[in-house]
Amino acid sequence: DTAVSQTPKYLVTQMGNDKSIKCEQNLGHDTMYWYKQDSKKFLKIMFSYNNKELIINETVPNRFSPKSPDKAHLNLHINSLELGDSAVYFCASSHRDRGSEAFFGQGTRLTVV
Amino acid sequence: GENVEQHPSTLSVQEGDSAVIKCTYSDSASNYFPWYKQELGKRPQLIIDIRSNVGEKKDQRIAVTLNKTAKHFSLHITETQPEDSAVYFCAPSRWGYNKLIFGAGTRLAVHP
């Protein structure tokens, strides 16, 4: 039973294209995140949503737009993809009342060519 | 904003040796101190955590120690095994806070 699942696992696309990554959690958590992990393994927070509301929006280009249709889903849409967007994107979730342990999805390896 | 630093960035040990990774943070309101392990090609997963009312916590071969005054906490792995090879991240935060800032990671290599 997958706790945090994201699709697709791999995404190869050309510069300039628009793509989406989907994330769903079945843990009943109220907070969901998107992280970007570059080739040096640095995990950088991009967005944080609590109960469908945007809480954190780090210095991320406007080309990245998160959408949370409900508490269990947080999707990431990326417009006009650039070479520098190539990375592994992780979705994660946690629950405010149960501390801060984050449960991560399997990651989406995005390659822009 | 919060500043989180991990040292060392890479660590190479022989199987059976001990490994220690240190995490220093700047937010004095932090009261939750977890360590995550990320194996190659896998997702990060919590391996041990501690809250600020406790100075040390142990779980078999791994332990976390906290020095709240000095604002640092450490991960200790004893009797290291090849399967301990991974990248380890600290993520000090406030309990229940919607923001997890991770350290830059420490790549641990355990050689047989």
Side-chain angles (χ1 to χ4, degrees):
Chain A
D1 217 8
T2 306
V4 183
S5 60
Q6 56 184 106
T7 54
K9 189 173 179 183
Y10 299 99
L11 187 51
V12 181
T13 188
Q14 289 190 320
M15 275 174 52
N17 283 352
D18 303 339
K19 290 293 177 188
S20 292
I21 307 172
K22 294 187 176 182
C23 180
E24 176 182 3
Q25 54 95 4
N26 63 5
L27 296 166
H29 287 169
D30 61 358
T31 305
M32 295 185 73
Y33 311 83
W34 276 109
Y35 285 87
K36 180 181 180 181
Q37 187 170 48
D38 59 24
S39 57
K40 293 183 180 176
K41 300 300 180 187
F42 186 56
L43 266 173
K44 181 174 166 52
I45 190 168
M46 300 173 70
F47 302 103
S48 168
Y49 267 75
N50 179 257
N51 287 321
K52 300 196 308 174
E53 276 189 49
L54 179 65
I55 302 295
I56 292 166
N57 181 352
E58 293 293 307
T59 49
V60 176
N62 290 341
R63 299 182 294 104
F64 290 79
S65 54
K67 279 193 173 52
S68 182
D70 54 58
K71 284 197 317 182
H73 295 84
L74 180 61
N75 304 322
L76 184 65
H77 189 75
I78 316 170
N79 288 332
S80 304
L81 278 155
E82 299 177 358
L83 292 177
D85 297 333
S86 296
V88 179
Y89 292 83
F90 282 100
C91 174
S93 72
S94 66
H95 200 292
R96 189 197 292 262
D97 293 337
R98 297 175 216 160
S100 300
E101 179 181 356
F103 291 79
F104 284 81
Q106 64 182 356
T108 295
R109 182 174 293 277
L110 172 65
T111 304
V112 183
V113 297
Chain B
E2 301 93 337
N3 192 32
V4 179
E5 291 186 3
Q6 268 184 249
H7 295 282
S9 56
T10 60
L11 183 56
S12 184
V13 299
Q14 289 295 125
E15 185 176 358
D17 286 352
S18 294
V20 182
I21 304 168
K22 185 176 178 180
C23 181
T24 305
Y25 59 95
S26 61
D27 182 4
S28 55
S30 294
N31 56 8
Y32 176 64
F33 308 96
W35 285 96
Y36 287 78
K37 176 184 181 183
Q38 185 180 24
E39 296 176 13
L40 188 62
K42 301 279 180 67
R43 73 194 78 189
Q45 289 189 292
L46 181 76
I47 54 170
I48 194 166
D49 57 10
I50 195 170
R51 294 185 69 176
S52 59
N53 55 349
V54 178
E56 181 176 351
K57 183 177 176 181
K58 206 170 177 182
D59 182 4
Q60 298 182 11
R61 295 186 300 106
I62 59 172
V64 54
T65 57
L66 171 66
N67 185 329
K68 208 152 191 290
T69 305
K71 290 193 274 189
H72 64 74
F73 63 111
S74 298
L75 176 68
H76 305 256
I77 307 175
T78 57
E79 300 169 37
T80 52
Q81 300 168 3
E83 51 265 38
D84 295 328
S85 296
V87 179
Y88 292 82
F89 296 95
C90 63
S93 68
R94 304 177 197 179
W95 181 263
Y97 198 41
N98 302 115
K99 188 173 185 177
L100 289 180
I101 306 297
F102 287 83
T106 297
R107 188 181 297 274
L108 172 65
V110 180
H111 302 283

